[in-house]
């Protein structure tokens, strides 16, 4: 993929990382029967704000 817009590239990068990590954590939480998981950091915050 060729991206000439740095801001769009950064947004795609961070959203992809956040989505992947959230999916992985959900899988592990399910495996170990964890009802509550806390995620933090810029990737998750930006993913949250960009989803609205």
């Amino acid at each position: 993929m060729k991206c000439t817009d740095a801001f769009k590239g950064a947004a795609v990068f961070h959203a992809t990382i956040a989505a992947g990590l959230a999916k992985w954590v959900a899988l592990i939480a399910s495996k170990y029967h964890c009802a509550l998981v806390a995620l933090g950091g810029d990737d998750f915050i930006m993913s949250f704000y960009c989803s609205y």
Side-chain angles (χ1 to χ4, degrees), residues 8 25 27 52:
K8 185 176 180 178
V25 168
L27 178 70
Y52 290 94

Side-chain angles (χ1 to χ4, degrees), residues 9-27 37 39-51:
V12 169
F13 171 77
H14 285 90
T16 302
I17 293 230
L21 287 173
K23 188 174 183 178
W24 177 75
V25 168
L27 178 70
V37 176
L39 303 174
D42 294 341
D43 295 334
F44 296 103
I45 293 168
M46 291 307 294
S47 178
F48 173 77
Y49 286 125
C50 291
S51 65

